[in-house]
Amino acid sequence: MSADFFDVVARQRAYRAFTDAPVDDATIEKLLDAAVRAPNAENRQPWEFVVVRDAALRTAIGELMAKAWDGGGRSYSEGRLTTAMLNDVDAAMHGGVARAPVIVVVCADLDRGHENAVPASIFPAIQNLLLGATALGLGSALTTIATVFRSELQALLALPANVRPLAVVPLGHPAKQLGPSKREPASTHTHRDHYGTPWS
């Protein structure tokens, strides 16, 4: 299924609830191929992807997310999120993400990129992954809360010391479709030549 790029961008949303329908390896490979097309510092391509299907591992990752959320993430978000969004994220942290049929843990190999530079490579790759999922009709989300417990996540996935997990991306068929994202117009945050000079 192909889609116009700007339509895909407008439809890309954070999905936190998924059906049990599987996602096949060919689809995952297509998404990861899109991810590695991203710009990256010095073309060092520091990304490493751990594709997690094993139910026990997905549950364990979900438990780390819940631990981080209950240990401070939720209290930080209270008052910052609407009640509906807070409840949605709460459900995601307590099993919603873990129930995705696939979780991609996106990591950086620090032997192939400086610690301060790898986010400039990893997060563009994740954005390509998210847009690719949207183009194929899949739901996905960028989450980083599990990395609060980085050493536990590294141990779960048998990551060597030089491979650092930076994000957890659930993938699957959405439990419900979401409409287009709601954003303020870009012009309200765009300045001409100097900050404070309106774009239009």
Side-chain angles (χ1 to χ4, degrees):
M1 171 169 130
S2 63
D4 175 82
F5 173 76
F6 292 98
D7 174 62
V8 171
V9 169
R11 289 190 294 111
Q12 201 280 313
R13 295 286 305 271
Y15 282 90
R16 303 181 185 94
F18 305 90
T19 72
D20 294 331
V23 180
D24 61 42
D25 281 359
T27 299
I28 298 300
E29 289 165 11
K30 187 169 188 172
L31 296 177
L32 295 179
D33 184 63
V36 302
R37 304 296 171 176
N40 62 98
E42 301 178 324
N43 199 31
R44 297 301 300 273
Q45 305 174 50
W47 39 65
E48 296 289 336
F49 305 96
V50 181
V51 179
V52 180
R53 293 186 188 278
D54 179 81
L57 277 178
R58 287 186 287 116
T59 297
I61 292 169
E63 287 170 354
L64 290 180
M65 297 175 81
K67 183 178 171 184
W69 178 250
D70 294 339
R74 190 180 205 288
S75 62
Y76 174 79
S77 296
E78 289 173 346
R80 300 171 62 85
L81 302 179
T82 65
T83 300
M85 182 175 281
L86 186 69
N87 291 339
D88 185 51
V89 174
D90 192 68
M93 295 300 106
H94 290 103
V97 169
R99 282 191 289 275
V102 177
I103 291 176
V104 180
V105 181
V106 186
C107 309
D109 184 342
L110 299 184
D111 289 344
R112 301 203 313 274
H114 189 279
E115 182 175 6
N116 292 334
V118 292
S121 301
I122 298 303
F123 290 101
I126 293 170
Q127 181 68 2
N128 278 9
L129 177 61
L130 299 175
L131 290 171
T134 301
L136 296 178
L138 295 174
S140 62
L142 166 59
T143 73
T144 58
I145 195 167
T147 64
V148 168
F149 298 107
R150 186 179 76 206
S151 60
E152 289 94 328
L153 190 54
Q154 284 185 280
L156 274 176
L157 303 176
L159 300 176
N162 59 298
V163 176
R164 180 165 298 177
L166 293 184
V168 170
V169 178
L171 287 170
H173 296 273
K176 64 177 182 178
Q177 290 297 327
L178 302 177
S181 57
K182 297 178 178 71
R183 299 289 187 270
E184 295 178 1
S187 60
T188 63
H189 299 283
T190 306
H191 312 268
R192 193 177 295 277
D193 295 323
H194 298 92
Y195 186 88
T197 303
W199 174 253
S200 58

